[in-house]
């Protein structure tokens, strides 16, 4: 079970869990009609390094002395969706997007390894009873970026909780490990 | 208030002098379900928004 913090800090913090975050898939303009296609995710977790987020916040919102450059500004914040673990086990977590994923029987070795965070692709998060979040799974193949200022604004109303330092480091290191894996030919 | 036992209410009602009135029927237990909203139950959804581009003078 993960440890969490419930106190909301105004800046975006690594490990923040925020609800109702949208990923813009594409924007098209055809014959005078603009079409915006997006995916609304019930929950996401922030993956961007916290020192980068902290510097961005300090430089972007500095009141006393504005820095001479925008060197520390981030262009976006990396987030990953949290999927309802029960939906992941049945392979139905993306059914409303028209996608069928592989089912994972949680009683088999494969499922047990996932829950113990021994499967590289997934990160299982079981929340304490004090936080109303269902057991969730991050799929490291799924991530997207969100606008820094928009996410900070959204956090005011949509902040759920934040993973404690140790547990966010665990998530971050496992994500980085998965992203930097070397795919060798079969 | 909602969590007070029903027996307290019954005891209070016996102190009034309304003997002809029928005894109010009180349930043996309160059947109140408190649903705690859980986050993360739903699945991701695709949303498409379409709008006509206005060029101001149109």
């Amino acid at each position: 079970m993960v440890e969490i913090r419930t106190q909301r800090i105004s800046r975006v913090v690594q490990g923040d869990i925020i609800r109702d975050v949208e990923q813009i898939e594409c924007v098209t303009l055809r014959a005078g009609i603009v079409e915006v296609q997006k995916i609304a995710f019930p929950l996401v977790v922030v993956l961007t390094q916290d020192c980068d987020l902290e510097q961005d916040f300090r430089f972007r919102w500095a009141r006393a002395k504005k820095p001479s450059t925008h060197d520390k500004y981030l262009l976006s914040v990396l987030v990953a969706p949290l999927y309802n673990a029960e939906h992941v086990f049945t392979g139905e977590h993306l059914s409303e997007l028209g996608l069928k994923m592989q089912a994972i029987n949680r009683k088999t070795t494969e499922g047990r390894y996932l829950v113990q965070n021994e499967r590289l692709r997934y990160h299982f998060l079981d929340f304490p009873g004090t936080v109303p979040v269902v057991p969730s799974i991050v799929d490291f193949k799924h991530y997207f970026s969100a606008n820094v200022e928009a996410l900070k604004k959204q956090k005011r109303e949509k902040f759920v909780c934040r993973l404690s330092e140790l547990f966010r480091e665990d998530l971050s290191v496992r994500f980085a490990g998965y992203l930097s894996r070397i795919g060798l030919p079969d | 208030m909602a969590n007070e036992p029903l027996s307290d209410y019954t005891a209070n009602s016996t102190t009034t002098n309304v003997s002809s009135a029928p005894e109010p029927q009180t349930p043996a237990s309160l059947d109140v379900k408190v649903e705690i909203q859980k986050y993360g139950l739903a699945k991701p959804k695709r949303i498409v928004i379409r709008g006509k581009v206005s060029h101001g003078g149109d």
Side-chain angles (χ1 to χ4, degrees), chain B residues 13-32:
Chain B
S13 69
T14 57
T15 60
T16 57
N17 293 323
V18 195
S19 56
S20 58
E23 282 287 321
Q25 295 289 316
T26 54
S29 64
L30 280 175
D31 188 19
V32 178

Side-chain angles (χ1 to χ4, degrees), chain A residues 126-161:
Chain A
D126 191 14
F127 293 87
T130 52
V131 179
V133 182
V134 296
S136 303
I137 292 173
V138 179
D139 180 347
F140 290 142
K141 279 185 188 278
H142 299 173
Y143 48 85
F144 62 96
S145 65
N147 178 271
V148 185
E149 294 189 19
L151 197 62
K152 177 178 176 290
K153 190 175 175 184
Q154 187 168 5
K155 186 180 165 181
R156 286 183 208 154
E157 302 290 328
K158 307 284 186 172
F159 173 75
V160 176
C161 65

Side-chain angles (χ1 to χ4, degrees), chain A residues 14 29 47 50 60 79 98 107 118 142 146 161 168 172 182:
Chain A
Q14 187 184 35
L29 179 61
L47 295 172
D50 198 56
R60 191 184 293 266
V79 300
K107 291 178 180 170
E118 290 175 11
H142 299 173
C161 65
R168 83 179 187 207
S172 173
I182 299 169

Side-chain angles (χ1 to χ4, degrees), chain B residues 37-52:
Chain B
Q37 187 189 359
K38 284 257 184 187
Y39 296 124
L41 281 166
K43 296 176 184 177
K45 290 185 178 68
R46 180 168 283 118
I47 299 167
V48 179
I49 300 169
R50 292 184 189 87
K52 193 173 181 183

Side-chain angles (χ1 to χ4, degrees), chain A:
Chain A
M1 187 176 293
V2 293
E3 277 181 15
I4 50 97
R5 306 275 181 263
T6 53
Q7 186 190 15
R8 185 178 67 81
I9 298 172
S10 62
R11 74 172 177 89
V12 177
V13 180
Q14 187 184 35
D16 273 350
I17 293 174
I18 303 171
R19 58 193 169 89
D20 303 330
V21 176
E22 295 177 341
Q23 175 193 11
I24 305 292
E25 288 189 292
C26 63
V27 179
T28 54
L29 179 61
R30 195 175 300 139
I33 302 291
V34 65
E35 182 176 291
V36 179
Q37 190 170 301
K38 56 188 183 177
I39 301 174
F41 289 96
L43 292 174
V44 302
V45 59
V46 173
L47 295 172
T48 299
Q49 278 291 347
D50 198 56
C51 52
D52 289 340
L53 291 165
E54 195 273 333
Q55 282 193 327
D56 173 87
F57 177 80
R58 201 150 36 87
F59 280 70
R60 191 184 293 266
W61 304 98
R63 286 181 185 166
K65 188 185 173 190
K66 286 284 178 191
S68 58
T69 70
H70 299 103
D71 187 58
K72 307 301 182 195
Y73 276 42
L74 296 175
L75 295 181
S76 59
V77 177
L78 194 62
V79 300
L82 291 187
Y83 299 121
N84 183 336
E86 291 305 319
H87 296 161
V88 174
F89 289 127
T90 59
E92 294 291 323
H93 53 294
L94 295 178
S95 62
E96 297 198 17
L97 304 181
L99 303 176
K100 179 159 180 60
M101 313 303 278
Q102 187 181 9
I104 301 166
N105 186 340
R106 69 181 304 169
K107 291 178 180 170
T108 62
T109 305
E110 188 184 35
R112 283 202 306 273
Y113 277 10
L114 191 159
V115 170
Q116 292 162 1
N117 283 338
E118 290 175 11
R119 285 193 65 182
L120 292 181
R121 178 174 166 178
Y122 302 101
H123 194 84
F124 182 79
L125 295 167
D126 191 14
F127 293 87
T130 52
V131 179
V133 182
V134 296
S136 303
I137 292 173
V138 179
D139 180 347
F140 290 142
K141 279 185 188 278
H142 299 173
Y143 48 85
F144 62 96
S145 65
N147 178 271
V148 185
E149 294 189 19
L151 197 62
K152 177 178 176 290
K153 190 175 175 184
Q154 187 168 5
K155 186 180 165 181
R156 286 183 208 154
E157 302 290 328
K158 307 284 186 172
F159 173 75
V160 176
C161 65
R162 181 172 65 257
L163 299 177
S164 70
E165 287 75 4
L166 184 64
F167 288 89
R168 83 179 187 207
E169 297 298 331
D170 185 32
L171 173 69
S172 173
V173 165
R174 293 196 70 235
F175 174 66
Y178 186 77
L179 208 60
S180 59
R181 74 196 187 283
I182 299 169
L184 298 174
D186 291 331

